[in-house]
Amino acid sequence: MSHVNNLESQHNDPAFANVWQELKWRGLIHVSTDETELEKLLAGDPITYYCGFDPTAPSLHLGNLVQLLVMRRLQLAGHKPLGLVGGSTGLIGDPRPTAERTLNTKDTVAEWVGYLQGQVRRFLSFEGENSARMVNNLDWTAPLSAIDFLREIGKHFRVGTMLRKDAVASRLNSDEGISYTEFSYQILQGMDYLQLFRDYGCALQTGGSDQWGNLTSGTELIRKVEGKSVHALGTPLITNSDGTKFGKSEGNAIWLDPDMCSPYTFYQFWLNTADADVVDRLKVFTFLSRAEIEALGEAVAERPFAREGQKKLAFEVTSLVHGVDATEKVIAASAALFGNGDLGVLDEQTLEAATAELPSATVAADGLGIIDLLVASGLSDSKSAARRTVGEGGAYVNNTKVSDPEAVIGQDQLLHGRYLLLRRGKKNLATIEVSA
């Protein structure tokens, strides 16, 4: 069982009558097919539901994490999840609002399918009466001929309805237009729902509200072909209180893969959450109870300087995605950077991630005098300024104060045989890499 699957510690909040009410309180319901029927359905016997993830990148990101946690909450309530990674839809690409996607090779998409399946697995339980299943839509799409696809599936879709879907309409009104390939995406997703309905009795699909047109293409197809009613649930798109897009850091997506976004960077992203957003983030991204979240909300309002909500949020979400051990390493690294811990105990990967955004310089092994290091790192503008810093007691190497302006740092002080962390005063940091 993976580091995320400390699943026993996750639970639905007994403060709510049913999982639907909890989802509403957590702000996870933006649109649905029939709220009254869905609440009744989810409060009754276990149902099978699914969410799909397309391998258009080698990792899932924070927008996908919303869906993974919704899936987990429904499974905790006793329902049966199907995790779909789109080996076929990933070859096409969901229409973006602005421009056509670049199509990836079949080998690349197949490789990414494996990566994403591994990530999805970490958030679901594959044991017990309501164990999860992984499915791949390439399994039922690849054997289907173009003629059979058009005859059996395409005939149930009306072009007028397809043109009105938000994703399609926005592209039609753009200079880019839309290809028939991407226009057909909604048919493929609708076919997925039909297949899962037939194979597993799947009765609910979840996704982001921006996918609503694709979600309802499935419910409509099942109604036309099978004469049955099934459901869809769209979660709201998450934005920051200042109106900026959530899930971006310095213009980059926050990925779940530690090689694409280090646990340190991931943790810092959550730690930097604005006070106005903390409670909403705790509701969506943690399994803390209503009482715990409300208490943290009071702490944020009364003692914002303590950043209790942000610290708890960062710990909980980083632990879910990267595990408790990695999270504790990150916290230790954060403390050590500013003199409140031992830099020597940090592994090289964590140290590199923690210092990645700091000013840095590379120096030769014979240039380790403290004055030269302060100038090379940019912490001091000149040798005279560096001497003043040392004389005033403001120069530190690896959190150890250096008081002698003639001091030369020994090779034995290098972290992992190659790094030094320099600090001027309390907050000005830089790294030095020593070349061989």
Side-chain angles (χ1 to χ4, degrees):
M1 194 169 283
S2 83
H3 60 249
V4 177
N5 280 347
N6 50 353
L7 298 176
E8 317 79 44
S9 65
Q10 300 167 12
H11 54 82
N12 287 105
D13 192 340
F16 298 94
N18 54 55
V19 68
W20 180 263
Q21 291 300 322
E22 181 171 354
L23 292 174
K24 283 191 70 172
W25 178 79
R26 290 184 182 273
L28 287 166
I29 299 169
H30 178 74
V31 62
S32 64
T33 42
D34 186 323
E35 182 169 339
T36 302
E37 281 300 311
L38 257 177
E39 180 172 3
K40 188 186 303 181
L41 191 68
L42 293 173
D45 293 336
I47 65 164
T48 297
Y49 62 98
Y50 96 97
C51 184
F53 305 91
D54 277 345
T56 51
S59 174
L60 299 174
H61 52 71
L62 288 192
N64 305 126
L65 182 59
V66 176
Q67 303 310 321
L68 290 168
L69 297 182
V70 168
M71 292 185 78
R72 181 61 191 148
R73 294 184 202 283
L74 291 171
Q75 187 178 30
L76 287 167
H79 302 295
K80 302 174 181 179
L82 298 169
L84 184 150
V85 177
S88 64
T89 43
L91 290 167
I92 301 302
D94 182 26
R96 293 186 299 186
T98 53
E100 287 279 316
R101 292 182 183 272
T102 300
L103 298 182
N104 296 299
T105 67
K106 290 183 178 181
D107 287 345
T108 296
V109 171
E111 184 178 3
W112 290 354
V113 165
Y115 295 162
L116 266 58
Q117 285 178 337
Q119 290 182 329
V120 172
R121 284 181 182 278
R122 298 211 307 265
F123 292 87
L124 302 172
S125 174
F126 287 78
E127 301 172 358
E129 292 183 0
N130 64 330
S131 61
R133 290 175 180 263
M134 291 296 303
V135 292
N136 182 345
N137 54 22
L138 191 64
D139 292 342
W140 55 81
T141 306
L144 194 63
S145 74
I147 294 298
D148 288 341
F149 173 71
L150 292 172
R151 284 177 58 85
E152 296 174 16
I153 305 297
K155 69 176 182 179
H156 297 291
F157 285 81
R158 294 293 172 264
V159 172
T161 303
M162 294 174 69
L163 290 172
R164 289 193 293 272
K165 304 289 187 182
D166 289 344
V168 173
S170 63
R171 281 283 292 281
L172 285 173
N173 293 326
S174 72
D175 293 336
E176 181 76 15
I178 188 169
S179 70
Y180 178 74
T181 299
E182 289 196 1
F183 181 62
S184 303
Y185 182 93
Q186 58 184 287
I187 301 180
L188 291 174
Q189 187 164 333
M191 186 173 69
D192 288 345
Y193 201 169
L194 175 62
Q195 189 72 37
L196 296 177
F197 174 81
R198 287 171 168 171
D199 289 350
Y200 303 103
C202 184
L204 171 65
Q205 181 183 182
T206 67
S209 58
D210 60 332
Q211 292 285 310
W212 189 244
N214 292 330
L215 298 177
T216 54
S217 71
T219 61
E220 282 299 297
L221 181 61
I222 291 169
R223 182 182 63 79
K224 290 177 179 179
V225 175
E226 301 290 343
K228 298 293 177 66
S229 292
V230 293
H231 294 279
L233 185 162
T235 60
L237 296 183
I238 298 175
T239 57
N240 296 322
S241 56
D242 62 4
T244 58
K245 188 171 183 178
F246 169 76
K248 301 285 184 180
S249 176
E250 303 298 327
N252 298 313
I254 301 297
W255 302 99
L256 305 191
D257 187 315
D259 293 330
M260 296 175 65
C261 178
S262 72
Y264 184 88
T265 301
F266 191 87
Y267 181 90
Q268 293 297 322
F269 171 83
W270 296 102
L271 196 62
N272 291 329
T273 301
D275 290 346
D277 295 321
V278 173
V279 170
D280 287 344
R281 301 291 178 267
L282 287 164
K283 288 179 179 180
V284 171
F285 291 100
T286 78
F287 288 85
L288 298 177
S289 68
R290 179 173 185 166
E292 290 172 304
I293 292 172
E294 289 176 346
L296 286 165
E298 291 176 8
V300 170
E302 296 170 5
R303 301 179 298 279
F305 55 87
R307 300 186 68 76
E308 292 173 54
Q310 285 90 341
K311 290 176 182 176
K312 186 64 172 173
L313 174 67
F315 179 85
E316 290 291 323
V317 187
T318 309
S319 296
L320 273 173
V321 174
H322 295 298
V324 174
D325 289 347
T327 305
E328 290 176 343
K329 285 182 181 179
V330 163
I331 294 170
S334 301
L337 284 189
F338 295 97
N340 297 317
D342 183 2
L343 286 165
V345 304
L346 302 181
D347 63 76
E348 188 169 359
Q349 186 178 18
T350 301
L351 178 67
E352 288 178 349
T355 58
E357 303 300 322
L358 298 178
S360 61
T362 301
V363 303
D366 59 357
L368 300 183
I370 184 61
I371 301 303
D372 291 336
L373 289 173
L374 287 169
V375 174
S377 67
L379 292 179
S380 296
D381 295 334
S382 64
K383 289 189 176 184
S384 58
R387 286 184 179 277
R388 279 197 305 276
T389 295
V390 175
E392 293 168 357
Y396 297 81
V397 174
N398 296 344
N399 290 334
T400 300
K401 183 184 290 188
V402 179
S403 302
D404 180 4
E406 306 304 321
V408 176
I409 308 306
Q411 296 283 327
D412 59 338
Q413 292 178 262
L414 299 180
L415 300 168
H416 301 290
R418 56 195 289 215
Y419 298 113
L420 293 171
L421 178 73
L422 269 61
R423 178 157 51 92
R424 177 171 60 81
K426 290 184 177 180
K427 294 186 176 180
N428 298 299
L429 297 168
T431 55
I432 295 289
E433 182 173 357
V434 180
S435 61

